[in-house]
Short mmCIF file of all heavy atoms in Angstrom, two decimals:
data_model
loop_
_atom_site.label_atom_id
_atom_site.label_comp_id
_atom_site.label_asym_id
_atom_site.label_seq_id
_atom_site.Cartn_x
_atom_site.Cartn_y
_atom_site.Cartn_z
N MET U 1 -4.53 -49.06 -112.15
CA MET U 1 -4.35 -47.64 -111.76
C MET U 1 -5.08 -46.78 -112.83
O MET U 1 -4.98 -47.02 -114.00
CB MET U 1 -2.88 -47.30 -111.70
CG MET U 1 -2.61 -45.89 -111.23
SD MET U 1 -0.86 -45.51 -111.14
CE MET U 1 -0.39 -46.43 -109.71
N VAL U 58 13.94 -48.25 -94.86
CA VAL U 58 12.81 -47.36 -95.09
C VAL U 58 11.53 -48.16 -94.88
O VAL U 58 11.43 -49.26 -95.41
CB VAL U 58 12.86 -46.75 -96.52
CG1 VAL U 58 11.53 -46.03 -96.83
CG2 VAL U 58 14.00 -45.78 -96.62
N ARG U 126 3.28 -42.52 -81.90
CA ARG U 126 3.31 -43.98 -81.87
C ARG U 126 4.42 -44.62 -82.71
O ARG U 126 4.80 -45.76 -82.44
CB ARG U 126 1.98 -44.56 -82.42
CG ARG U 126 0.74 -44.15 -81.71
CD ARG U 126 -0.46 -44.92 -82.25
NE ARG U 126 -0.52 -44.87 -83.72
CZ ARG U 126 -0.27 -45.88 -84.53
NH1 ARG U 126 0.02 -47.04 -84.05
NH2 ARG U 126 -0.35 -45.75 -85.85
N SER U 128 7.48 -43.12 -84.02
CA SER U 128 8.83 -42.58 -84.12
C SER U 128 9.47 -42.46 -82.73
O SER U 128 8.78 -42.41 -81.71
CB SER U 128 8.79 -41.20 -84.78
OG SER U 128 7.97 -40.32 -84.06
N THR U 133 13.08 -36.74 -86.28
CA THR U 133 12.99 -35.57 -87.16
C THR U 133 11.88 -35.74 -88.18
O THR U 133 11.74 -36.80 -88.78
CB THR U 133 14.33 -35.38 -87.95
OG1 THR U 133 15.37 -35.26 -86.94
CG2 THR U 133 14.29 -34.10 -88.80
N ALA U 174 -20.60 -22.79 -104.28
CA ALA U 174 -19.38 -22.40 -104.99
C ALA U 174 -18.58 -21.36 -104.21
O ALA U 174 -17.38 -21.42 -104.14
CB ALA U 174 -19.69 -21.92 -106.40
N PRO U 206 -6.64 -26.83 -84.06
CA PRO U 206 -7.12 -25.72 -84.86
C PRO U 206 -5.97 -24.78 -85.27
O PRO U 206 -5.05 -24.54 -84.48
CB PRO U 206 -8.13 -25.03 -83.97
CG PRO U 206 -8.63 -26.12 -83.07
CD PRO U 206 -7.43 -27.02 -82.83
N GLY U 209 -5.63 -17.48 -87.85
CA GLY U 209 -4.79 -16.32 -88.02
C GLY U 209 -5.53 -15.17 -88.59
O GLY U 209 -6.63 -15.32 -89.14
N ALA U 211 -4.91 -11.07 -90.43
CA ALA U 211 -4.03 -10.12 -91.04
C ALA U 211 -4.82 -8.96 -91.57
O ALA U 211 -6.01 -9.09 -91.91
CB ALA U 211 -3.25 -10.82 -92.18
N THR U 214 -2.93 -3.75 -96.71
CA THR U 214 -3.10 -2.47 -97.31
C THR U 214 -2.87 -2.66 -98.83
O THR U 214 -1.82 -3.11 -99.25
CB THR U 214 -2.10 -1.46 -96.75
OG1 THR U 214 -2.28 -1.36 -95.32
CG2 THR U 214 -2.31 -0.07 -97.37
N ASP U 249 5.71 -27.39 -107.97
CA ASP U 249 4.49 -27.61 -108.77
C ASP U 249 3.40 -28.21 -107.87
O ASP U 249 3.07 -29.38 -107.97
CB ASP U 249 4.82 -28.55 -109.91
CG ASP U 249 3.68 -28.66 -110.91
OD1 ASP U 249 2.74 -27.84 -110.80
OD2 ASP U 249 3.70 -29.56 -111.74
N ASP U 262 -14.01 -3.70 -106.19
CA ASP U 262 -12.90 -2.93 -106.83
C ASP U 262 -12.17 -2.16 -105.75
O ASP U 262 -12.77 -1.40 -104.98
CB ASP U 262 -13.47 -1.97 -107.88
CG ASP U 262 -13.99 -2.73 -109.09
OD1 ASP U 262 -13.34 -3.72 -109.48
OD2 ASP U 262 -15.03 -2.36 -109.65
N LEU U 281 -12.87 -28.46 -91.92
CA LEU U 281 -13.64 -27.25 -92.12
C LEU U 281 -12.70 -26.02 -92.17
O LEU U 281 -11.73 -25.95 -91.40
CB LEU U 281 -14.59 -27.16 -90.94
CG LEU U 281 -15.67 -26.11 -90.95
CD1 LEU U 281 -16.85 -26.69 -90.15
CD2 LEU U 281 -15.20 -24.85 -90.31
N GLN U 294 -17.81 2.76 -97.51
CA GLN U 294 -18.46 1.96 -96.50
C GLN U 294 -17.85 0.52 -96.48
O GLN U 294 -17.56 -0.04 -97.54
CB GLN U 294 -19.94 1.83 -96.84
CG GLN U 294 -20.74 1.13 -95.74
CD GLN U 294 -22.20 1.57 -95.73
OE1 GLN U 294 -22.66 2.26 -96.67
NE2 GLN U 294 -22.93 1.22 -94.71
N LEU U 303 -18.43 -25.09 -94.20
CA LEU U 303 -19.62 -25.63 -93.55
C LEU U 303 -20.79 -25.35 -94.52
O LEU U 303 -21.67 -26.22 -94.71
CB LEU U 303 -19.87 -24.97 -92.22
CG LEU U 303 -21.11 -25.39 -91.48
CD1 LEU U 303 -20.97 -26.80 -90.94
CD2 LEU U 303 -21.45 -24.42 -90.34
N VAL U 308 -25.11 -31.31 -97.62
CA VAL U 308 -25.50 -32.13 -96.47
C VAL U 308 -27.01 -32.13 -96.33
O VAL U 308 -27.71 -31.27 -96.83
CB VAL U 308 -24.93 -31.59 -95.14
CG1 VAL U 308 -23.49 -31.86 -94.99
CG2 VAL U 308 -25.26 -30.13 -94.96
#
Side-chain angles (χ1 to χ4, degrees):
Chain U
M1 183 179 288
V58 169
R126 302 187 309 110
S128 59
T133 303
T214 301
D249 190 10
D262 289 323
L281 190 150
Q294 188 153 10
L303 178 73
V308 285

